[in-house]
Amino acid sequence: MTVHAHTTHRPRRMLRRTLAALAALCLTATSCGDSESMYCRYPCRFVFNPATHASSAALLTTVGTPGTFCTVSRVTKGGASYYHFVTTDGISDDVIFTMEDQRSTVLIGLNNAIVFGYGNVDDPPVLYAYDMECPNCFDPEAIPVRSHQIRTAQTGMATCPTCHRQYNLNTGGNVVGGDPGKQLSRYRAHYAPGGVLSVIN
C-alpha cells in the first residue's frame, strides 16, 4: 500500500513542479516586443551626466524638443572613446568619455547605437529610448552578425533599409508602414531635473 500511495502522489507532484516552472518562465522570459512587457530584455547601459561630461548641443536640443530624436553611438578617435550624437534635425557633436565611462561598462544597445527622445503625442511627453537595430531583421545570435540599423527622419519616423518597415518613434516604436511585425526594441530611459540622462536595462 505504501508503494501504491507513493505512485499515486508522484504525478501530482510532477504536475505542480511543471506548473511552477512554467509560471516562472512566463514571468522572466519576456522578449523584445512582447505585449506583456514594453521593454526589451537585452542589456543597455548609457549614462550621461552634464556635471562630469562636456556639453552636448545635440542632447540638450533633443531633451528640450518633443518630436526630435537623437542617435548616440560610441566612436574612437586618436585612441580615445567618444559618444557621437546626431539629431533628426542634423545637429551632431562628439563628447569624450570620462574616467568613469572608461572604468564602467558602457553598452549602447545591441550593436553600438540607440535613439532617444520625447514623443510629441502624449501630454506630458514620454521619454523613449530604442535600439537602432530592426527587431524584425537583426539577429544577435547569427553567425556572422549582420547589422540592420534603422534610419531616422525629421518626421519622427524610422525605416529599416532591409525590410522597409516604418516605425513611429513618437508612439512607442510601433510599425506604421510595411509588413506587420515587432515594434522597436525599447529600453528604460530617465531624464533627471539636473540633466542626467540614463538609459539602463
Side-chain angles (χ1 to χ4, degrees):
M1 293 295 292
T2 304
V3 174
H4 178 69
H6 177 75
T7 306
T8 302
H9 291 297
R10 183 182 297 170
R12 293 179 182 174
R13 284 199 300 272
M14 290 177 64
L15 178 62
R16 284 197 296 269
R17 288 176 185 164
T18 302
L19 291 174
L22 286 173
L25 186 63
C26 289
L27 287 173
T28 60
T30 56
S31 61
C32 297
D34 284 348
S35 59
E36 297 176 20
S37 173
M38 70 177 70
Y39 298 109
C40 178
R41 65 182 170 87
Y42 295 111
C44 182
R45 188 183 187 282
F46 166 69
V47 179
F48 193 89
N49 186 347
T52 56
H53 290 92
S55 179
S56 166
L59 188 151
L60 290 173
T61 298
T62 300
V63 295
T65 314
T68 295
F69 289 84
C70 183
T71 299
V72 59
S73 58
R74 178 178 184 165
V75 297
T76 302
K77 297 189 298 182
S81 294
Y82 291 78
Y83 291 117
H84 176 65
F85 298 95
V86 57
T87 72
T88 48
D89 292 334
I91 301 170
S92 66
D93 47 31
D94 296 331
V95 177
I96 195 167
F97 271 32
T98 64
M99 290 297 294
E100 183 180 355
D101 292 328
Q102 295 174 30
R103 287 193 300 264
S104 63
T105 301
V106 176
L107 295 172
I108 308 181
L110 287 169
N111 198 25
N112 189 38
I114 58 174
V115 58
F116 63 89
Y118 283 97
N120 61 9
V121 175
D122 298 301
D123 188 17
V126 175
L127 178 60
Y128 294 108
Y130 307 102
D131 199 276
M132 289 291 288
E133 293 292 341
C134 174
N136 295 287
C137 297
F138 181 74
D139 182 1
E141 298 178 3
I143 300 175
V145 174
R146 299 186 187 279
S147 179
H148 300 275
Q149 196 171 104
I150 58 173
R151 296 174 181 169
T152 59
Q154 194 172 5
T155 57
M157 299 294 173
T159 305
C160 173
T162 305
C163 67
H164 307 294
R165 286 180 176 86
Q166 190 176 48
Y167 303 92
N168 191 339
L169 300 176
N170 286 291
T171 56
N174 53 307
V175 177
V176 293
D179 294 333
K182 293 181 285 189
Q183 66 185 36
L184 290 177
S185 304
R186 183 177 167 190
Y187 298 116
R188 292 172 176 83
H190 180 69
Y191 185 67
V196 178
L197 174 68
S198 59
V199 180
I200 299 178
N201 229 44

